[in-house]
Amino acid sequence: MAAVRISSRSGLPSLLLYLGIGIAMGQDGIFDVKFDNAELTQVIGYAALVVILAEGGLGTKWKEVKPALPAAAVLSTVGVGISVGVTASAAHYLVGLDWRQALIIGAVVSSTDAAAVFSVLRRVPLPSRITGVLEAESGFNDAPVVILVVAFSTVGPVEHWYVLVGEIALELAIGAAIGLGVGWLGSLGLRHVALPASGLYPIAVMAIAVAAYAAGAMAHGSGFLAVYLAAMVLGNSKLPHWPATRGFADGLGWLAQIGMFVLLGLLVTPHDLVDDFWPAVVVGLVLTAVARPLSVFISLAPFRLPQREKALMSWAGLRGAVPIILATIPMVSGIEGSTRVFNIVFVLVIVYTLIQGPTLPWLAKALNIAEDPSETADLGIESAPLERLRGHLLSVAVPGKSKMHGVEVAELRLPAGAAVTLVVRDEKSFVPAPSTVLRTGDELLVVATDPVRDDTEARLRAVGEGGKLAGWLGTGGADRRNSGSGGVPHIAKLAKRLGLGGDGRPGERAGGRRIHR
C-alpha cells in the first residue's frame, strides 16, 4: 500500500510503480522470474480491464457525462482513426517498420487508458465538461481500438477500411444496447429486491457489470463498452448501500491494476528494450505532439470548445496498461516482429506517462482551467430499504465545506413523511431536537417513506449545496414541490425562519408530529 500512497502524492498513475515492481521481480531483476506467457497475460489483462472499466463507470456522474457524450463519441471514433493514421505513418517512415507493424502500433497507442485517466483526473480540479469528455472517451475508445488491433493482427490481408468501419459501428451499437439494457434491468432489480445482507449489494453490482461484458461479447458486440455503460447506469441509480458499493468497487479496481501491472512488468525483458528505446521515443513524440492534438482539434471542431480546453485534452490523452495489453494480441497471433512492437509500446507508455501525468496539473493552471479544489463537497448518502415499513433509512454524512454545517434540523424542511431520527457526533449518538445545529463530520440517520424518498434525498443535497435558504435562492427541487404555491413561502414565514420576527418556531404540530414546510 506504500506504492498507492506514493502514486497519490506524486501525481503519477500507479502504472509506473507496479510495472517497476514487476520488472524488478522478472528477468534481469532481483528475483529473475522467467515469465513469457503472452496469452495468459492477455487473458488476465482483459479480466482486469473489465473490473477497471466497471469501477470507472460506477464513479462517472451522469450529469457531467451527459453533455459530453457527443464529443466523447466522436473523439473515440473519428479521433482514433486520425491518431492511427498519423502515428502509423510516423512508425513506417521514421522508424522503418513495415505497414502491418506500423498500423498495429498506431492502433494500440491510440487508446487512452481508463485506469490512468481515472486515477489522474480525479485528483485534478478540472471543469466537469472536460473530465466528462476525457473519462467517457477512455471508456469508449477501447472498443474500436481492440477491433482494429485484432484486424491488423490477423494473418493474411487486412480488410478494406470500409469493412472495418462497418464492423466497428455494428459492434459499438450492439455493446451500447446490451450495456444500457443490462444496467437498467440490474438497477431495477436491486432497488426492488431486499438482499439478506448488505454486503451482497456490492457483489451484485459488480456481477451485473461483468454479466454485461459477457453478454456483449457473446452477442459479437463490444463487451468493453457494454460493461462501462452498464456500470454507469448502475452508478447513477439510487441503489441501496451505495457508499459501501463504491468502496468495494474501488478496492477491486486497485487490485486489478496491481495484478495487471505487475504481470506486464514480469512479461517484459529489460535488456531487450535498449535497442527500441529511441524508436519508441520518436513514435511517442509524434503521437503526443502531432497525432493526439490533431485528433482532438479536428474531432471537436463542431463542438465550439475553447482552444485552451482542447489543448489540455490533447495533453491529457494518457496511456497506461491498456496499450501494453493490446500489444500482446499480435504476439499471441504470431505476427512477425510482434516482440519489437511490444517493446516499443512498453517504452513509449512508460516514458510519456512519466512526462504527462505529473505535468497535467501544472498545464491546467498555466491555461487557467483548473478549478478551486475547495468547492462544496457532495454529501455521502447511503440508503437501506425497509421493505416491511415501505420506507428507507438514509445515512447522511456531512463532509467538510458542506453548507449543511450550521443548519438547524428544523431548517432542513424535509417533506412530510421524513424525519431525522438520530445524529452521530464525535462517536456519540443522540436524538436531535428541532433546534439541534448540525456540524461538519456529523452523520444523520433519516427515515423516509417510500413516496418521499427521492424528494428527501434531493432536499438534503440542496441544503448541502445552498444552505438553509436552499429553494428560496434557486437551489433544490424537492423544496419547491413541498413548500406551497410555486415554492415561494409567504414573506412572514421567511422572516420567522430568519429570526426577524414572530416566535421563530420552524414548524407546526399536526397529530403529534412536526411537519416542516
Side-chain angles (χ1 to χ4, degrees):
M1 293 301 104
V4 176
R5 292 193 294 270
I6 293 172
S7 65
S8 298
R9 294 173 182 174
S10 65
L12 289 171
S14 55
L15 157 75
L16 299 180
L17 296 168
Y18 296 123
L19 277 177
I21 293 173
I23 292 172
M25 294 172 58
Q27 300 181 57
D28 298 344
I30 299 173
F31 300 102
D32 197 28
V33 176
K34 299 288 191 297
F35 180 80
D36 58 0
N37 193 331
E39 187 172 1
L40 177 61
T41 303
Q42 180 182 324
V43 171
I44 295 178
Y46 273 30
L49 183 57
V50 169
V51 174
I52 292 169
L53 285 172
E55 190 274 329
L58 291 173
T60 299
K61 296 180 180 179
W62 174 245
K63 64 180 180 181
E64 295 180 1
V65 170
K66 182 180 179 181
L69 283 180
V74 175
L75 190 56
S76 58
T77 50
V78 176
V80 164
I82 295 171
S83 180
V84 171
V86 174
T87 307
S89 298
H92 178 70
Y93 290 110
L94 299 180
V95 178
L97 298 178
D98 64 42
W99 273 114
R100 183 185 291 273
Q101 296 169 359
L103 286 170
I104 291 173
I105 287 183
V108 163
V109 299
S110 294
S111 173
T112 56
D113 183 76
V117 170
F118 294 146
S119 64
V120 172
L121 289 185
R122 290 176 184 175
R123 293 195 303 270
V124 181
L126 297 176
S128 59
R129 62 181 175 274
I130 296 179
T131 57
V133 171
L134 292 174
E135 289 193 7
E137 179 203 8
S138 68
F140 293 166
N141 63 13
D142 291 332
V145 166
V146 168
I147 296 171
L148 288 175
V149 175
V150 171
F152 296 149
S153 301
T154 302
V155 177
V158 178
E159 293 181 305
H160 295 294
W161 66 269
Y162 52 84
V163 177
L164 286 178
V165 170
E167 184 179 347
I168 290 173
L170 179 61
E171 291 199 17
L172 290 178
I174 294 173
I178 290 177
L180 294 173
V182 172
W184 181 78
L185 289 174
S187 64
L188 184 67
L190 288 176
R191 287 200 307 269
H192 291 85
V193 175
L195 298 178
S198 60
L200 293 176
Y201 283 91
I203 298 175
V205 168
M206 293 302 295
I208 292 170
V210 173
Y213 171 81
M218 291 178 64
H220 301 288
S222 171
F224 293 126
L225 182 59
V227 67
Y228 181 75
L229 290 179
M232 188 168 65
V233 172
L234 291 167
N236 288 274
S237 303
K238 296 178 175 64
L239 298 181
H241 305 289
W242 180 242
T245 301
R246 278 295 293 128
F248 179 78
D250 190 50
L252 278 184
W254 274 107
L255 287 176
Q257 291 183 54
I258 292 171
M260 178 172 60
F261 297 158
V262 170
L263 195 61
L264 290 172
L266 282 172
L267 184 63
V268 73
T269 304
H271 68 261
D272 290 341
L273 301 177
V274 177
D275 293 337
D276 296 316
F277 179 82
W278 288 113
V281 171
V282 171
V283 174
L285 183 61
V286 173
L287 170 67
T288 306
V290 181
R292 173 67 181 182
L294 276 178
S295 66
V296 170
F297 278 86
I298 293 176
S299 300
L300 301 183
F303 298 97
R304 298 180 181 179
L305 293 172
Q307 298 298 316
R308 56 196 179 96
E309 293 188 3
K310 293 180 182 177
L312 183 66
M313 291 183 192
S314 299
W315 191 250
L318 302 176
R319 273 77 193 174
V322 172
I324 303 176
I325 292 171
L326 297 180
T328 63
I329 294 177
M331 296 177 69
V332 174
S333 300
I335 297 298
E336 183 181 354
S338 58
T339 301
R340 190 183 184 197
V341 169
F342 179 86
N343 291 340
I344 290 176
V345 171
F346 191 94
V347 173
L348 185 156
V349 168
I350 291 180
V351 171
Y352 287 93
T353 301
L354 185 61
I355 295 173
Q356 289 177 274
T359 57
L360 185 59
W362 173 85
L363 182 62
K365 292 180 181 178
L367 294 174
N368 197 25
I369 295 178
E371 291 186 337
D372 184 2
S374 62
E375 286 186 348
T376 302
D378 257 351
L379 290 177
I381 300 182
E382 179 173 353
S383 172
L386 304 175
E387 294 294 331
R388 192 171 60 86
L389 302 178
R390 298 186 63 191
H392 297 266
L393 179 63
L394 307 179
S395 174
V396 183
V398 182
K401 302 182 180 65
S402 171
K403 292 187 179 180
M404 192 177 284
H405 175 81
V407 175
E408 294 183 5
V409 170
E411 291 172 331
L412 293 174
R413 292 184 290 119
L414 300 178
V420 180
T421 59
L422 198 68
V423 174
V424 180
R425 177 180 299 164
D426 298 329
E427 300 183 356
K428 295 181 180 179
S429 59
F430 59 92
V431 177
S435 59
T436 299
V437 178
L438 303 177
R439 300 177 185 172
T440 297
D442 285 354
E443 184 174 353
L444 319 180
L445 296 183
V446 181
V447 174
T449 57
D450 192 62
V452 300
R453 175 260 173 94
D454 290 344
D455 286 351
T456 301
E457 184 171 336
R459 175 60 191 164
L460 289 168
R461 293 190 185 280
V463 175
E465 296 173 2
K468 65 179 71 177
L469 295 184
W472 289 308
L473 299 181
T475 306
D479 189 51
R480 289 187 175 85
R481 293 190 293 271
N482 294 283
S483 60
S485 176
V488 181
H490 192 276
I491 191 66
K493 291 183 180 179
L494 177 60
K496 277 187 178 184
R497 294 189 183 279
L498 295 178
L500 301 178
D503 59 5
R505 288 179 294 179
E508 300 174 356
R509 293 283 181 180
R513 179 170 184 159
R514 183 172 297 281
I515 299 178
H516 308 299
R517 295 192 256 181

